[in-house]
């Protein structure tokens, strides 16, 4: 349904996207991950038809996003990172106006407005001016209005960034429900959330796709066990020694906190305590784990 | 057409919610009426400041000259008011991110721009007519010479394409510029260039441009009926051209 071929985007001398290609199909949630400035929002705005790619082909449901913007708008819902509205309108008025833009019948608009505002948890505030809404309420209204046309593709740019923990949970529950009926293309910094709801992951770094895989495949590929341990103080010598060990696949160090991706857990369990002891550092915590999406992400974008 | 009506209704509501629909006619009325009022009060004001026995004679202006002077008053401040109210219509929405929310819906960029242009033109034209009619009424009331309403009406009507042209410049600049301030500055510069550059040329073609229509409206106001098909057509063509450029630019633009 989304087809990107060798898409580039250049802002003067800055290369925001450097030839990204991917194809995704079917309903489900597709997590689009990357650190700040990786090119996520640029790619999302190209998909929504708001930016033009410098080169490459972008098609959504067979529609060219540059040439067939209006047809695309009929089947797409879009929630930007910071949704903006006509602040003098009430939430209810905005929803009705959006319904009119989709040329929906008045009765349909009324029904959908009520259902969507209730589902998004802002029904009580429907008659308040949007200027009085909090950031979280605007995000909820943004999602509600993006669903007015019952889209086939829902593009969400950091949908939970402005929400409190309860709001985040509610939004994720809603996305879980929605993904059964549509394709959701969602960018987020909160990897824990993406891990819960995404069926497919696309990782982008420095304008390039570094990983595109379905969640199951990702978990099976990155099954190597992880040892997380913390020392009483940072030991550079230990990092150097660990890097030389054959059983160590990858190592992430943050001050005195270590994450080791190991090939063989038996050897690692026997060797690691000795090496820590030789380094003279005191072990504060030690935990054996399976890699989380965050571990995989850090390995890929480091 | 349905989408155009929806966007136009939204624009009209916005004009009401932001009270532009009240402030603009009032500002225009104050601006235009100030000339006949000050001319009426001038002899009394001067008399209060002069030494006893001093005699000054100020010839009373004709009502048509008074109306013509109201046009001149409008040309200075009126343009700035029109530009100020409309310069953020597109640039401001793009800056705030609302344009992105609207243009991902099935709203063509041409409809988005034309609906705004129509709403602002309607407000500007309505406010101008209101201000001029109020000025005509008071001119008629305050001065002994009676106004010829047919001439005044013709003058007012002939000035309307100029009002629409100012809005067109402002909306066009707003669609091209990144910020409302840049848009406002660009619109004023465009207007000044359009009105003043033809004055440098003595050739007859220059009279077919908008500044010829302003002169023509003034002449009609004084009762001098002159041929105005050329400047009228020239102004309408210029409005169409500027609108086409604005729509083309907006279609090409990234939001």
């Amino acid at each position: 349904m989304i087809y990107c071929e060798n898409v580039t985007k250049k802002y003067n001398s800055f290369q925001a996207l450097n030839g990204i290609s991917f194809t995704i199909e079917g309903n489900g949630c597709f997590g689009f991950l990357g650190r700040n400035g990786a090119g996520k929002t640029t790619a999302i705005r190209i998909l929504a038809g708001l930016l033009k790619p410098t080169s490459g082909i972008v098609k959504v449901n067979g529609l060219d996003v540059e040439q067939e913007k209006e047809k695309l708008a009929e089947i797409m819902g879009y929630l930007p990172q910071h949704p903006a509205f006509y602040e003098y309108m009430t939430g209810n008025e905005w929803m009705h106006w959006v319904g009119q833009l989709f040329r929906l019948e008045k009765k349909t608009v009324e029904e959908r407005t009520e259902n969507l505002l209730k589902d998004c948890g802002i029904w009580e505030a429907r008659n308040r001016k949007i200027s009085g809404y909090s950031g979280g309420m605007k995000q909820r209204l943004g999602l509600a209005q993006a669903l007015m046309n019952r889209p086939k593709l829902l593009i969400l740019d950091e949908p939970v960034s402005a929400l409190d923990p309860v709001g985040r949970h509610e939004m994720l529950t809603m996305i879980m429900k929605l993904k059964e009926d549509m394709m959701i293309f969602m960018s987020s910094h909160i990897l824990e959330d993406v891990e819960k709801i995404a069926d497919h992951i696309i990782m982008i770094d420095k304008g390039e796709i570094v990983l595109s895989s379905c969640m199951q495949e990702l978990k099976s590929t990155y099954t190597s066990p992880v040892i997380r341990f913390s020392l009483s103080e940072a030991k550079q010598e230990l990092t150097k020694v660990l890097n030389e060990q054959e059983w160590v696949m990858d190592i992430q160090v943050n001050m005195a906190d270590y994450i080791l991706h190991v090939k063989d857990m038996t050897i690692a369990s026997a060797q690691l305590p000795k090496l820590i002891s030789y380094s003279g550092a005191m072990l504060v915590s030690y935990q054996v784990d399976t890699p989380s999406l965050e571990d995989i992400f850090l390995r890929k974008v480091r | 057409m349905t989408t155009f009506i929806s966007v136009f209704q939204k624009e009209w509501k916005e004009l009401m919610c932001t009270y532009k629909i009240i402030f603009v006619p009032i500002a225009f009325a104050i601006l235009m009426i100030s000339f006949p009022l000050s001319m009426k009060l001038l002899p009394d004001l001067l008399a209060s400041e002069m030494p006893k026995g001093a005699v000054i004679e100020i010839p009373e202006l004709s009502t048509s000259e008074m109306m013509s002077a109201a046009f001149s008053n409008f040309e200075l401040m009126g343009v700035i008011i029109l530009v100020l109210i409309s310069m953020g219509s597109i640039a401001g929405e793009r800056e705030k991110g609302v344009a992105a929310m609207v243009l991902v819906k099935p709203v063509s960029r041409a409809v988005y721009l034309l609906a705004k242009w129509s709403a602002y033109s309607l407000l500007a034209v309505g406010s101008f007519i209101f201000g001029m009619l109020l000025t005509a009424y008071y001119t008629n009331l305050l001065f002994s010479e009676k106004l010829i309403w047919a001439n005044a009406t013709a003058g007012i009507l002939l000035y309307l394409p100029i009002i629409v042209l100012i809005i067109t410049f402002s909306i066009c600049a707003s669609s091209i510029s990144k910020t409302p301030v840049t848009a406002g500055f660009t619109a004023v510069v465009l207007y000044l260039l359009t009105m003043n550059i033809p004055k440098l040329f003595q050739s007859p073609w220059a009279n077919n441009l908008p500044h010829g229509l302003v002169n023509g409206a003034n002449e009609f106001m004084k009762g001098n009926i002159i041929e105005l098909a050329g400047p009228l057509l020239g102004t309408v063509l210029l409005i169409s051209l500027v609108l086409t450029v604005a729509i083309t630019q907006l279609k090409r633009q990234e939001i």
Side-chain angles (χ1 to χ4, degrees), chain A residues 1-4 22-30 59-62 152-153 179 182-185 199-200 202 212 214:
Chain A
M1 195 182 197
I2 296 181
Y3 173 76
C4 289
F22 64 89
T23 307
I24 49 177
E25 276 180 280
N27 292 349
C29 181
F30 297 79
K59 286 189 174 179
V60 172
N61 224 20
K152 287 181 181 169
L153 168 67
K179 73 176 189 176
M182 61 186 75
M183 173 186 274
I184 299 175
F185 192 79
D199 305 299
H200 190 110
I202 297 171
S212 176
C214 77

Side-chain angles (χ1 to χ4, degrees), chain A residues 64-82:
Chain A
D64 188 306
V65 296
E66 272 190 84
Q67 307 299 325
E68 295 164 288
K69 283 194 183 80
E70 282 171 65
K71 280 185 190 168
L72 175 68
E74 298 280 358
I75 58 153
M76 188 187 73
Y78 170 62
L79 170 65
Q81 191 173 359
H82 305 290

Side-chain angles (χ1 to χ4, degrees), chain B residues 185-201:
Chain B
F185 178 76
T186 312
V188 172
V189 169
L190 277 173
Y191 178 76
L192 291 176
L193 290 176
T194 310
M195 289 302 173
N196 292 302
I197 284 184
K199 289 178 187 169
L200 304 174
F201 302 97

Side-chain angles (χ1 to χ4, degrees), chain A residues 9 45 52 86 93 145, chain B residues 13 93 105 254-255:
Chain A
K9 179 68 189 173
R45 289 173 74 82
K52 287 178 182 176
Y86 295 115
E93 284 169 345
Q145 59 96 46
Chain B
K13 191 182 174 193
E93 286 195 3
K105 309 281 184 300
E254 296 189 327
I255 305 294

